[in-house]
């Protein structure tokens, strides 16, 4: 069997240096108390769902405990400004790439306001000092604005248990390095009285046939994650001054979601999830799990290469090939998960996969 050569062109730039090579739209964040409080976070269930590779839908369920008498406090949500190939100016007074912000406390929907702030000392004595953009001398639009957004509301916490349900969505970021990436600020939860989350659950759903990595910032190993569905993991070692500087856990998820649970969760890092971009694929030594852009793949040199491409949809589902050359090739794919019980059925493939098979007949 002719050995195919891998030729993947990756332009290695700094994660934070988007310039016009990509766009950081937004990141998710925790709710935080604007003023000092003795209220604690008893429980949090955080669900992040990627939709059509375009939007992250965020759903958060909180249980807060107020040990004293009923009290009203200001609660905030810090939304960091976009950078890169974007326009960071407000849209309808709000963050330009976040939508459908909603907070419900003990079954009552709360009204909120949006303030523009320029530094971390925006809250004084439990009150938020908002910028007047008409008088603000910093950048107010374009690729980098000199302020960020704080969504805030008054919350009446009764004595005892209080339940908050919080939803919003934001655009998925990406760059020449990343097919997509998204972030979530977990450490902000440390601002509540207990400096931890007593019972934390994180559920991430990125869709089917995805390979992605999560930096090891708030966890140490794969044993702390559960795969609900079909998938596998591998450890990625960070290398200083390289594209991947931080140790990460790579997931190959055929279907389902992943779950992280932790009791007495003392948070020392934030979530950073990314899927690498594979550009300029010249040959077939490596085919990404979700790859269906035939314009970036050269015309097959021989019948075997054509068979490899044609059978990709079935390999993604774990088909065990009887053809020894196909079997040898796909066993080298890091995402391949053999399933002896899988019987290939063209009818259940996606429209994109059907077109792919037709292309390489």
């Amino acid at each position: 069997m002719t050995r195919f050569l891998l030729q993947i062109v990756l332009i290695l730039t700094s994660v934070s240096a988007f310039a016009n090579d990509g766009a950081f739209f937004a990141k998710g964040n925790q709710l935080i108390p604007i003023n000092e409080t003795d209220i604690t976070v008893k429980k949090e269930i955080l669900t992040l769902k990627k939709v059509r590779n375009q939007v992250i839908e965020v759903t958060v369920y909180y249980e807060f405990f107020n040990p004293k008498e009923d009290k009203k406090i200001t609660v905030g949500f810090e939304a960091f400004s976009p950078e890169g190939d974007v326009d960071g100016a407000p849209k309808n007074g709000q963050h330009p790439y976040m939508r459908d912000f909603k907070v419900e406390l003990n079954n009552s929907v709360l009204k909120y306001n949006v303030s523009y702030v320029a530094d971390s000392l925006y809250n004084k004595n439990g009150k938020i000092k908002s910028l007047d953009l008409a008088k603000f001398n910093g950048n107010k639009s374009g690729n980098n604005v000199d302020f960020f957004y704080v969504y805030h509301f008054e919350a009446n916490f009764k004595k005892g248990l209080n339940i908050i349900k919080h939803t919003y969505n934001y655009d998925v970021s990406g760059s020449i390095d990343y097919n997509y990436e998204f972030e979530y600020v977990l450490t902000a939860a440390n601002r509540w009285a207990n400096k931890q989350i007593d019972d934390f659950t994180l559920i991430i759903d990125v869709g089917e046939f995805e390979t992605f990595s999560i930096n090891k910032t708030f966890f140490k190993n794969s044993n702390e994650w559960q795969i609900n569905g079909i998938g596998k993991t591998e450890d990625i070692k960070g290398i200083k001054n390289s594209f991947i500087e931080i140790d990460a856990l790579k997931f190959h998820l055929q279907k389902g979601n992943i779950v992280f649970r932790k009791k007495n969760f003392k948070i020392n890092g934030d979530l950073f999830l990314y899927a690498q971009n594979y550009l300029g694929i010249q040959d077939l030594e490596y085919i990404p799990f979700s790859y269906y852009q035939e314009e970036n793949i050269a015309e097959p040199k021989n019948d075997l290469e054509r068979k490899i491409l044609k059978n990709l949809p079935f390999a993604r589902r774990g088909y065990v090939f009887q053809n020894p050359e196909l079997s040898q090739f796909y066993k080298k794919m890091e995402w391949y998960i053999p399933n002896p019980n899988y019987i290939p059925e063209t009818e259940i493939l996606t429209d994109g996969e059907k077109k792919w098979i037709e292309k390489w007949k």
Side-chain angles (χ1 to χ4, degrees):
M1 175 179 176
T2 302
R3 179 171 177 80
F4 303 133
L5 299 176
L6 167 64
Q7 295 180 353
I8 295 176
V9 178
L10 286 176
I11 299 177
L12 304 181
T13 59
S14 168
V15 171
S16 60
F18 281 95
N20 285 323
D21 293 330
F24 165 72
F25 290 112
K27 66 174 72 174
N29 206 340
Q30 302 280 2
L31 295 177
I32 57 170
I34 296 301
N35 43 332
E36 292 295 325
T37 183
D38 47 15
I39 294 173
T40 61
V41 188
K42 302 298 291 181
K43 185 174 185 177
E44 178 182 346
I45 302 174
L46 168 61
T47 303
L48 305 174
K49 182 177 181 179
K50 180 171 68 69
V51 180
R52 299 184 303 279
N53 226 34
Q54 297 173 343
V55 172
I56 301 298
E57 294 181 347
V58 181
T59 304
V60 198
Y61 170 89
Y62 291 100
E63 291 182 2
F64 291 98
F65 185 76
N66 176 15
K68 298 183 179 180
E69 298 304 314
D70 296 2
K71 65 165 61 175
K72 178 188 289 187
I73 68 170
T74 302
V75 176
F77 171 89
E78 297 173 343
F80 298 97
S81 292
E83 299 175 12
D85 191 12
V86 297
D87 185 356
K91 287 186 179 178
N92 300 317
Q94 301 192 24
H95 191 291
Y97 301 105
M98 297 187 67
R99 293 163 298 275
D100 302 328
F101 187 92
K102 181 180 178 181
V103 180
E104 187 178 301
L105 171 60
N106 297 329
N107 297 317
S108 295
V109 176
L110 303 182
K111 295 181 179 180
Y112 64 87
N113 295 301
V114 181
S115 294
Y116 315 120
V117 301
D119 60 60
S120 60
L121 302 178
Y122 64 85
N123 57 318
K124 297 284 183 68
N125 300 319
K127 295 186 179 296
I128 295 174
K129 184 179 180 180
S130 183
L131 296 171
D132 181 350
L133 290 188
K135 300 177 181 178
F136 183 55
N137 293 324
N139 290 332
K140 295 180 282 190
S141 63
N143 297 156
N144 290 278
V145 296
D146 294 328
F147 62 90
F148 62 96
Y149 300 78
V150 178
Y151 292 61
H152 53 97
F153 52 90
E154 297 300 311
N156 291 300
F157 285 92
K158 64 183 180 181
K159 184 178 181 179
L161 191 66
N162 293 264
I163 294 174
I164 285 184
K165 298 176 183 178
H166 183 206
T167 58
Y168 57 97
N169 64 73
Y170 61 93
D171 291 351
V172 175
S173 300
S175 71
I176 200 164
D177 296 324
Y178 300 123
N179 176 25
Y180 61 84
E181 60 97 346
F182 57 89
E183 305 174 52
Y184 195 94
V185 182
L186 298 169
T187 49
N190 292 330
R191 301 190 212 181
W192 294 94
N194 50 340
K195 311 299 183 186
Q196 67 173 35
I197 302 171
D198 294 349
D199 183 357
F200 178 69
T201 300
L202 169 61
I203 304 167
I204 300 177
D205 179 357
V206 296
E208 296 185 338
F209 306 115
E210 293 281 357
T211 288
F212 58 94
S213 301
I214 301 178
N215 284 349
K216 291 184 177 180
T217 49
F218 61 92
F219 67 96
K220 294 182 179 179
N221 57 62
S222 61
N223 294 334
E224 298 174 81
W225 291 88
Q226 174 187 343
I227 295 176
N228 289 328
I230 300 174
K232 63 180 181 179
T233 62
E234 62 175 298
D235 287 311
I236 304 296
K237 190 70 176 175
I239 302 173
K240 191 174 181 179
N241 298 323
S242 72
F243 175 70
I244 301 172
E245 290 190 324
I246 299 175
D247 291 355
L249 185 64
K250 181 179 281 190
F251 293 83
H252 305 287
L253 196 62
Q254 193 179 110
K255 64 178 181 180
N257 59 36
I258 59 173
V259 180
F260 172 86
R261 294 186 177 90
K262 193 82 170 180
K263 299 282 190 180
N264 301 317
F265 185 32
K266 298 184 185 300
I267 312 166
N268 55 12
D270 296 319
L271 169 69
F272 183 77
L273 182 152
Y274 62 91
Q276 278 183 260
N277 237 341
Y278 296 94
L279 306 178
I281 294 177
Q282 307 293 323
D283 241 314
L284 303 183
E285 183 65 22
Y286 181 84
I287 301 177
F289 205 5
S290 58
Y291 207 78
Y292 281 103
Q293 298 177 13
E294 60 268 23
E295 66 270 16
N296 287 338
I297 292 185
E299 186 68 20
K301 299 184 184 71
N302 51 50
D303 185 57
L304 175 58
E305 289 194 7
R306 189 170 292 275
K307 285 181 180 178
I308 286 172
L309 292 171
K310 177 183 174 182
N311 283 280
L312 177 58
F314 306 115
R316 297 205 306 170
R317 291 166 171 82
Y319 181 66
V320 178
F321 294 96
Q322 301 306 307
N323 180 308
E325 291 178 309
L326 289 177
S327 177
Q328 180 181 347
F329 176 85
Y330 276 112
K331 282 179 179 178
K332 292 186 298 182
M333 298 297 100
E334 61 181 3
W335 48 260
Y336 181 60
I337 305 172
N339 178 6
N341 298 319
Y342 170 62
I343 300 174
E345 296 180 66
T346 305
E347 295 75 18
I348 66 171
L349 300 180
T350 67
D351 290 342
E353 289 173 320
K354 291 175 183 177
K355 290 178 182 177
W356 177 273
I357 290 174
E358 192 66 27
K359 167 79 175 178
W360 305 114
K361 275 188 175 179

